[in-house]
Amino acid sequence: MNRRRRIYEGKAKVLYEGPEPGTLIQHFKDDATAFNNQKIDRIDGKGVLNNRISEFVFLRLNEIGIPNHFIRRLNMREQLIREVEIIPVEVVVRNIAAGSLSKRLGLEEGTALPRSVIEFYYKNDELDDPMVSEEHITAFGWANPQEIDDMMSLAIRVNDFLSGLFLGAGIRLVDFKIECGRLFEGDLMRIVVADEISPDSCRLWDIETNEKMDKDRFRREMGGMLEAYQEVAKRLGIMTQNERPVGSGPTLVQ
Ligand code: TMP
Ligand code: ASP
C-alpha cells in the first residue's frame, strides 16, 4: 500500500495516485483538527465513517446530476475519485446562524437566516482560511466570474438537496462547506464538487433536540463525536448491519 505515490496530504485525508490516469485515491484518516491545527486529535473510526457518509452523499448527488469527482468506494477508508484541479476557495452555505457568522455579526446561534447565504474563504492554512469576496477571487486569479457562478449554483443545488436529505433523517442542515475543482475532459472543462461532504464539513443538528451531530462536538470539546457521526450514518441508512468503525474510543491528545 505504501508503494503508491502520495500526491498530497491534508489534515484529514491523503491523496494517492490512482490506478489510471486522471484518477486518484482519496484516503480518510482518523485525524481531527480544528482552529488551524491548534487542536489535534485522533478519533478512531472517524475516517471510516466519513468515507461512508461522503460516499453516500456523492452517490446521491450523482443520481440527481450534480457533477462531482466521486467514482466509487474502494474499501473502508478509501475511494476512487477523478483528478481535478482544486480551486483554492471554500464555498460555505448557511441556512441558520452558527459558528463564525454568529461571532462576526453577533447573531445568536440557531437564528434562522432570512435566506441562504453563500460565503467564500481562501483555502490557506497559514492564513487560517480568511473570508474573501468575489473581488479577491477574480483579482488574484483563483477563479474567473463564470467559475464563481458555477460554484455558487452547485453550492445552492447541494444545499437544497442536502437540506431535504437530512430533514428526512431528522437532521437540520445548519451550514456546510464544499470545495470545487476543474475537471478536464478532452477540450472541455467543467466545475465539479470535490473533496468530501461529511459531519466534518457540515453543521448538523437533531431536528427535535438541536443536539450537535458534527465536528463542533470536537471543536467545542463536547465529547461523543464518534457516536454522533455513527448516528448520522445510521439515520441515513448506512452501516446498519454488523459494521462497526473499530477502535478503542477517542483519546485526547493535549
Ligand atoms: P464556520 O462557521 O467556522 O465559518 O464554518 C462554516 C461551515 O464550514 C461549517 O459547517 C464547518 C465548515 N468548515 C469546514 O468544513 N472547514 C473549515 O476549515 C471551516 C472553517 C469550516
Ligand atoms: N478545518 C479547519 C482545521 O482543521 C478548521 C475547522 O474545521 O474548524 O483546522
Side-chain angles (χ1 to χ4, degrees):
M1 179 167 115
N2 290 330
R3 252 177 260 124
R4 292 184 306 197
R5 197 156 71 89
R6 197 168 56 180
I7 307 285
Y8 174 82
E9 176 147 10
K11 284 174 289 197
K13 297 187 294 295
V14 188
L15 292 178
Y16 296 98
E17 190 172 52
E20 290 151 34
T23 65
L24 295 175
I25 292 167
Q26 178 164 260
H27 176 106
F28 288 76
K29 298 190 284 186
D30 281 339
D31 299 15
T33 70
F35 314 118
N36 201 20
N37 272 334
Q38 283 177 47
K39 190 172 155 54
I40 306 179
D41 202 350
R42 250 181 64 94
I43 309 286
D44 285 345
K46 176 176 86 83
V48 172
L49 281 159
N50 280 352
N51 185 27
R52 295 297 294 261
I53 294 170
S54 201
E55 170 200 23
F56 179 86
V57 170
F58 277 90
L59 281 175
R60 299 291 90 74
L61 295 181
N62 259 328
E63 281 166 9
I64 61 160
I66 297 181
N68 63 65
H69 73 165
F70 185 83
I71 301 174
R72 68 172 184 277
R73 185 168 62 84
L74 296 171
N75 55 51
M76 292 289 272
R77 288 187 181 273
E78 294 177 331
Q79 42 186 250
L80 186 66
I81 58 170
R82 284 180 219 291
E83 183 172 23
V84 301
E85 188 179 284
I86 289 285
I87 294 172
V89 171
E90 300 190 343
V91 185
V92 168
V93 182
R94 301 177 185 273
N95 302 305
I96 294 168
S100 70
L101 179 72
S102 285
K103 222 175 190 173
R104 196 178 323 119
L105 300 185
L107 295 169
E108 195 185 335
E109 286 209 319
T111 311
L113 300 176
R115 63 173 176 82
S116 302
V117 170
I118 303 182
E119 298 171 343
F120 302 110
Y121 293 83
Y122 176 41
K123 215 171 124 62
N124 185 312
D125 279 347
E126 270 128 66
L127 300 176
D128 206 5
D129 298 351
M131 191 175 169
V132 292
S133 72
E134 294 184 43
E135 277 287 294
H136 302 108
I137 297 172
T138 51
F140 293 109
W142 301 324
N144 66 35
Q146 178 62 56
E147 291 173 329
I148 297 175
D149 277 359
D150 290 351
M151 288 196 287
M152 289 175 75
S153 63
L154 283 173
I156 291 166
R157 290 178 72 193
V158 170
N159 185 48
D160 287 346
F161 180 70
L162 276 193
S163 293
L165 182 83
F166 282 120
L167 203 58
I171 296 170
R172 202 184 307 281
L173 179 63
V174 172
D175 56 33
F176 67 94
K177 180 259 315 188
I178 56 167
E179 295 184 20
C180 297
R182 300 183 183 94
L183 177 63
F184 295 93
E185 293 166 312
D187 288 344
L188 292 178
M189 185 281 286
R190 54 190 180 129
I191 306 295
V192 303
V193 182
D195 191 52
E196 74 180 292
I197 298 179
S198 73
D200 268 10
S201 58
C202 301
R203 280 199 176 89
L204 305 169
W205 295 357
D206 180 86
I207 207 97
E208 301 278 338
T209 63
N210 280 337
E211 199 187 336
K212 297 184 197 312
M213 306 174 75
D214 56 62
K215 195 173 152 188
D216 270 350
R217 299 202 76 88
F218 171 74
R219 295 189 190 98
R220 302 179 188 192
E221 309 209 348
M222 301 167 74
M225 184 201 199
L226 196 74
E227 292 75 10
Y229 284 32
Q230 264 169 333
E231 178 65 19
V232 171
K234 192 173 133 210
R235 291 202 199 173
L236 292 173
I238 317 166
M239 302 183 82
T240 43
Q241 313 108 314
N242 303 326
E243 279 189 279
R244 310 231 62 204
V246 307
S248 48
T251 46
L252 191 63
V253 179
Q254 299 288 355

